[in-house]
């Protein structure tokens, strides 16, 4: 029973039953976490009240059953997710699975009155800080996602779908322009250079081309994309995914961009011999060419992302380096930034 589960010092989960989640080889922060549930009879009047006023779920195909959340189950606060705002973050697939399982058990025991099903994750609130949930608009706990209940090896598709949810949430906020970065470097740069608060950017990780496709599918029409040169020069070179397993030659690509400006073979070889993009850019800065090369890289990133978005999104790009605060921008990048700030000020 869950009364012995950690995270329940007051014994609030007495009467719950639970299991410890085994995530297999999936690096899931909820691995080893207690997932608890309780089922209790309720009167018809209470069932109808829950259906009218509750923050859980009922379904016409499962009459008399009400699914509720509890300790450690997150609450949806923003539109755009599979669950409406003001309700527990229990997705449609696990809802249907739970309803079906309870109905089968009730039928086996010939029970025909109303039941309330309650879910709880004793450690959910603490774990939620380690997930995308706060960015997606899920507060106070984790979401109950669920698929088949069978753990399979982690797939890239699962990560891509998380990015889709983040994009969808931002799009539902009626933003004129979305901001996107590969990761923390980009969001930190936007915060320090342009005053963009944390949590305002979509983080696409290595999935740049896939994210461009999702942006188009979700109806986003303008994007400002900012990232470190080490990542974005790969995109400029045509990399749809920037993970090293798909090719890790940013200095080589940067040297190719520099070749449009540097005529000396000796100077090009010096750039090519750099260990990192930042080191290569320091060399280019000696020749007063770092910013033009970064600007060229930004234009190429723009072309690639607009192509991957099938021409349905307008993309502006900022490519930056930690070497001396260098940055290259596409022509309307700062205009997009201004439009984003104006949209926030006017609640758009």
């Amino acid at each position: 029973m869950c009364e012995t589960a950690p995270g329940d010092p007051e014994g609030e989960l007495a009467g719950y039953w639970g299991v410890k989640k085994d995530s297999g080889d999936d690096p899931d922060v909820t691995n080893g976490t207690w997932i608890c549930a309780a089922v209790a009879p309720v009167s018809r009047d209470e069932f109808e009240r829950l259906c009218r006023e509750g923050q859980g779920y009922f379904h016409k195909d499962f009459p008399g059953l009400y699914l509720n959340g509890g300790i450690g189950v997150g609450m949806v606060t923003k539109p755009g997710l599979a669950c409406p705002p003001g309700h527990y973050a229990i997705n449609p697939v696990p809802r249907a699975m739970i309803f079906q399982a309870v109905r089968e058990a009730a039928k086996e025991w010939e029970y025909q009155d109303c039941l309330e099903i309650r879910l709880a994750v004793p450690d959910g609130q603490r774990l939620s800080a380690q997930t995308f949930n706060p960015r997606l608009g899920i507060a106070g706990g984790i979401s109950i996602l669920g698929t088949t209940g069978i753990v399979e090896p982690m797939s890239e598709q699962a990560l891509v779908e998380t990015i889709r949810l983040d994009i969808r949430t931002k799009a539902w906020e009626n933003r004129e322009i979305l901001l996107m970065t590969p990761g923390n470097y980009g969001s930190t740069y936007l915060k320090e250079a342009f005053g963009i608060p944390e949590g305002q950017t979509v983080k696409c990780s290595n999935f740049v081309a896939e994210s461009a496709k999702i942006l188009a599918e979700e109806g986003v029409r303008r994007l400002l994309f900012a990232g470190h040169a080490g990542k974005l020069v790969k995109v400029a070179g045509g990399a749809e995914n920037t993970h090293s397993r798909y090719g890790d030659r940013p200095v080589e690509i940067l040297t190719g961009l520099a070749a449009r400006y540097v005529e000396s073979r000796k100077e090009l070889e010096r750039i090519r011999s750099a260990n990192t993009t930042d080191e290569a850019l320091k060399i280019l800065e000696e020749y007063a060419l770092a910013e033009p090369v970064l600007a060229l890289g930004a234009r190429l990133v723009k072309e690639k992302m607009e192509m991957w978005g099938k021409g349905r999104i307008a993309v502006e790009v900022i490519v930056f380096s930690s070497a001396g605060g260098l940055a290259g921008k596409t022509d309307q990048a700062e205009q997009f930034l201004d439009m984003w700030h104006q949209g926030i000020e006017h609640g758009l």
Side-chain angles (χ1 to χ4, degrees), residues 219-232:
V220 176
R221 292 295 172 258
R222 293 186 178 91
L223 173 76
L224 177 71
F225 187 42
H228 188 275
K231 282 276 189 186
L232 266 57

Side-chain angles (χ1 to χ4, degrees), residues 299-311:
R299 291 195 298 273
L300 292 173
V301 172
K302 171 184 169 71
E303 290 176 9
K304 297 294 187 299
M305 294 192 70
E306 290 183 345
M307 176 186 69
W308 294 327
K310 298 182 179 179

Side-chain angles (χ1 to χ4, degrees), residues 46-56 58 66 86-87:
E46 176 63 8
F47 173 76
E48 292 178 352
R49 186 195 69 79
L50 287 169
C51 292
R52 290 192 311 270
E53 305 171 9
Q55 297 172 308
F58 60 95
Y66 191 86
H87 288 258

Side-chain angles (χ1 to χ4, degrees), residues 41 47 54 86 114 161 164 175 180 252 290 295 297 312 315 345:
F47 173 76
C114 299
E161 288 307 309
R164 181 185 293 276
R175 299 285 175 81
M180 190 166 77
E252 182 181 336
R312 290 154 58 186
V315 180
E345 291 172 5

Side-chain angles (χ1 to χ4, degrees), residues 172-194:
W172 266 81
E173 293 172 351
N174 295 319
R175 299 285 175 81
E176 179 73 16
I177 292 171
L178 253 65
L179 307 179
M180 190 166 77
T181 69
N184 291 331
Y185 281 160
S187 58
T188 299
Y189 173 79
L190 288 176
K191 178 181 179 180
E192 293 177 352
F194 303 104

